[in-house]
Amino acid sequence: MGQVRVASFSVSLDGFSAALGQDIDNPIGVGGLKLFDWAFATRTFQKMHGTGAGETGIDDDFAAAGFANVGAWILGRNMFGPVRGPWPDESWKGWWGEEPPYRTPVFVLTHFPRDPIAMKGGTTFHFVTGGIEAALDRAKAAAGDRDVRIGGGVATIRQYLRAGLIDRLHLAQTPVLLGQGEALFAGLDLPALGYRQTGYAPSGTVAHVILERG
Amino acid sequence: MGQVRVASFSVSLDGFSAALGQDIDNPIGVGGLKLFDWAFATRTFQKMHGTGAGETGIDDDFAAAGFANVGAWILGRNMFGPVRGPWPDESWKGWWGEEPPYRTPVFVLTHFPRDPIAMKGGTTFHFVTGGIEAALDRAKAAAGDRDVRIGGGVATIRQYLRAGLIDRLHLAQTPVLLGQGEALFAGLDLPALGYRQTGYAPSGTVAHVILERG
C-alpha cells in the first residue's frame, strides 16, 4: 500500500506556510513565493515550469522525491485557484496552464460541485464535495499501490493532520520571516497526534525535515 | 556602543523555545532540554559545565560568539529559577551553582525586590523591579561599550522584541517537535517590528539564523 504524504512544503522561521492576501497574482499570498525559492532553483522545478537548467543536489533530490511514486494528489480549493464561492463558469483550470505537473488524478476539495477537467499530460481535476475522508478514499482508489500526495494548502494539511490521516511529511524549514500568514502548526500538538521527527538534512539554503506517524 | 542581543536561542520546528512544566528538575520545561542538545555538545558548553572535551565547528563557533564581548546579561525571573512570587528566603542563587557562566553583572527581571548576590567568577545577580527598560538602562551602564545579552526566557525576549529594543538575534532553528510550549514568535510580526534575516548557517544539527533590526 502506498503512503499518504506531504512533500516539499515550506515553513517560515516564524511558522507560516503561506502569506496573506492570496489572489491571482500571488498564489502563496503577498511575499509568499520566497518560501519556495529553494524549490524554484531545482532542476526538478525548472524541468516542469522553468527555462533554466536548474540545480542538482540535496534540494533537488527532495523536490524530485516528492513526485516519485505518486498516484494521486489532493489539493484544497485555494491551492487550486483564487476563485471563492460557487464556480462562476468553467474557465478556471488551475494555476499551472494547459499541462499541469501532476500527471495523475487530482482531487480538489470544494463545497461547490463541478465536472472533472481532463488536462494535457495525464492530469484530471476531480472536484470532491464530500469532505477530506471522501477525497482520500477516492485518491487512494485512484493511486492503487502508489502514494497519495496532499499538495496543500495550509488549511488542508492541518485538517488531514488533525485527523491523523497523513503518514509522512517532508517539510522545508526556511529562514524566511513573513510576519503574518497561515500558521502550519499553531494549536496542533504533533507528538500527541503521533508524529515524530525521523530525518534531517540541511542543504545550505533550507533544512529538510521528515516527520512520520506511528 | 555595544549591541543588545540574543544568542544561541533555540526554536523548535513547531515554534516553541521552551516546553511546559518548568520546575527545579526541568529548567526548560519537561522535554525542553533537547532544544539545546546542539549547544550541550559544544566545546564552549563543555568547558563551562561539562566533563567532556566538546565539539568544535559551526555550532561551537556560534556558542562561543554568544559569550564574546558581553558586558552584562538580562534574565527573566523564570530563567533565573523556578521560584514564583515573593522570594521566600535567600537560598535560591540560580540554576548554575556557585560559579555561573556569566562572569558579568546579570540583571534579573522580577516584581519582588531582593539584594544583589555576588557569585564566584565575577557574576553578580541584581534584581530589577522597574521593568524591562530600567533593566536595560542598568545593563547598558554596566556593559559600557560591550554588548548586553538578553538571555531569555521566551517571555522576556518577546517583551524586548515588542519594544524594539533588541538589535540582533542569533537563533538556532531545530527540527525538534515539542507539541506544546512557549511560542517565541506567535502574534509578533517581526518584519513590522523592523527585523530582517541577515544570516544563515546550517551546521548539520541545527540551522543558525541571524536577525537584525533596522
Side-chain angles (χ1 to χ4, degrees), chain A residues 12-14 171 173-180 185 188-191 195-197 200 202-207 209 211, chain B residues 12-14 171 173-180 185 188-191 195-197 200 202-207 209 211:
Chain A
S12 73
L13 175 65
D14 44 1
L171 302 172
Q173 192 177 29
T174 77
V176 169
L177 276 182
L178 285 182
Q180 300 180 64
F185 293 133
L188 292 183
D189 183 336
L190 268 76
Y195 294 92
R196 62 202 167 84
Q197 181 235 328
Y200 186 67
S203 73
T205 51
V206 297
V209 182
L211 306 180
Chain B
S12 73
L13 176 64
D14 45 0
L171 303 172
Q173 193 178 28
T174 77
V176 169
L177 276 182
L178 286 181
Q180 300 180 60
F185 293 132
L188 291 184
D189 183 335
L190 267 74
Y195 294 93
R196 62 201 168 86
Q197 180 234 327
Y200 186 66
S203 74
T205 51
V206 297
V209 183
L211 306 180

Side-chain angles (χ1 to χ4, degrees), chain A residues 47-60:
Chain A
K47 276 168 74 175
M48 290 177 178
H49 303 285
T51 52
E55 294 168 14
T56 57
I58 293 176
D59 291 343
D60 186 57

Side-chain angles (χ1 to χ4, degrees), chain B residues 114-127:
Chain B
R114 181 172 168 185
D115 290 336
I117 317 172
M119 307 291 290
K120 278 188 198 161
T123 299
T124 300
F125 294 115
H126 300 273
F127 300 88

